[in-house]
């Protein structure tokens, strides 16, 4: 058997360096490869702004399409409302509800909630666990209602303070002003 010569440490290092640099030195660029690489870089530089504008325009188109859909829905709603206003029954109902119109011979009653909004929508008293019976004094309530209604001024009369006299009558102890004839 023939003996191989032993390798020294510097030879092993040169081989590992040549293996590592071997793949890099094995790459050879031809003129065609360099020209094609340049064309690709140039195409990216030229087309990138155009692609950005294209993406922005597509986003605008999507936003405008959503806006058009919303406007079409609004047009449909307004068309339906216009059709409702062509119905005489709807017009009469709206006149009664919004303007408080009544037909001749009808009597309209308007119920006014005299409670302040805070007490109407406020918190209710807590619910108790036991049942309690309240005994309303209905007779006193009825009497108070009748007295209040009887003491109210007539619909045509305006309330005047008690310490002032009516404007159209003069007190008896004053003399008529000059130019006034009794």
């Amino acid at each position: 058997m023939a003996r191989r010569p032993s390798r020294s440490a510097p030879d092993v290092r040169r081989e590992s360096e040549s293996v590592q640099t071997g793949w890099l030195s094995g790459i050879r660029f031809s003129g065609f490869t360099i020209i094609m690489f340049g064309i690709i870089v140039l195409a990216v530089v030229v087309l990138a702004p155009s692609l950005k504008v294209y993406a922005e325009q597509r986003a605008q188109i999507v936003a405008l399409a959503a806006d058009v859909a919303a406007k079409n829905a609004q047009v449909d709603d307004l068309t339906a409302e216009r059709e409702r206003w062509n119905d005489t029954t709807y017009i009469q109902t709206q006149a009664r509800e919004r303007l408080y119109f009544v037909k001749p011979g009808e009597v309209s009653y308007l119920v006014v909630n005299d409670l302040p909004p805070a007490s109407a929508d406020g918190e209710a008293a807590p619910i108790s666990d036991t049942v309690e019976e309240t005994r309303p004094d209905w007779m006193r309530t009825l009497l108070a209602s009748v007295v209040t209604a009887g003491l109210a001024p007539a619909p045509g009369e305006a309330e005047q303070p008690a310490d002032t006299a009516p404007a159209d009558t003069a007190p008896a102890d004053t003399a008529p002003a000059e130019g006034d004839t009794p």
Side-chain angles (χ1 to χ4, degrees):
M1 264 207 297
R3 216 171 152 196
R4 282 183 144 179
S6 68
R7 293 186 183 174
S8 65
D11 289 338
V12 173
R13 265 193 225 147
R14 280 189 206 141
E15 255 182 52
S16 65
E17 286 176 4
S18 65
V19 168
Q20 289 176 354
T21 58
W23 69 271
L24 188 58
S25 63
I27 297 176
R28 301 189 186 243
F29 291 111
S30 65
F32 178 76
T33 306
I34 292 175
I35 289 174
M36 290 308 292
F37 184 71
I39 290 174
I40 291 173
V41 169
L42 182 64
V44 168
V45 169
V46 169
L47 293 178
S50 299
L51 291 175
K52 178 184 173 198
V53 170
Y54 175 75
E56 289 173 354
Q57 288 176 347
R58 292 304 300 171
Q60 286 178 346
I61 288 171
V62 168
L64 290 174
D67 190 36
V68 166
K71 295 295 181 186
N72 284 339
Q74 184 179 9
V75 166
D76 293 340
D77 292 342
L78 291 174
T79 303
E81 185 174 346
R82 185 184 65 202
E83 291 300 320
R84 284 193 305 263
W85 280 102
N86 287 335
D87 184 18
T88 56
T89 307
Y90 182 77
I91 292 172
Q92 288 176 357
T93 304
Q94 291 301 313
R96 287 175 180 267
E97 289 178 2
R98 293 183 183 185
L99 304 174
Y100 306 110
F101 282 8
V102 294
K103 290 184 178 182
E106 289 183 343
V107 177
S108 175
Y109 295 101
L110 181 62
V111 178
V112 179
N113 186 2
D114 60 347
L115 295 177
S119 65
D121 296 333
E123 296 179 14
I127 299 173
S128 66
D129 293 338
T130 61
V131 177
E132 297 178 11
E133 183 179 342
T134 58
R135 300 195 53 99
D137 188 7
W138 64 270
M139 189 63 129
R140 182 170 290 166
T141 306
L142 178 67
L143 183 61
S145 176
V146 169
V147 168
T148 303
L151 296 177
E157 298 177 8
E159 290 188 28
Q160 294 181 354
D163 59 336
T164 61
D168 58 346
T169 61
D173 60 336
T174 60
E178 287 184 29
D180 288 344
T181 58

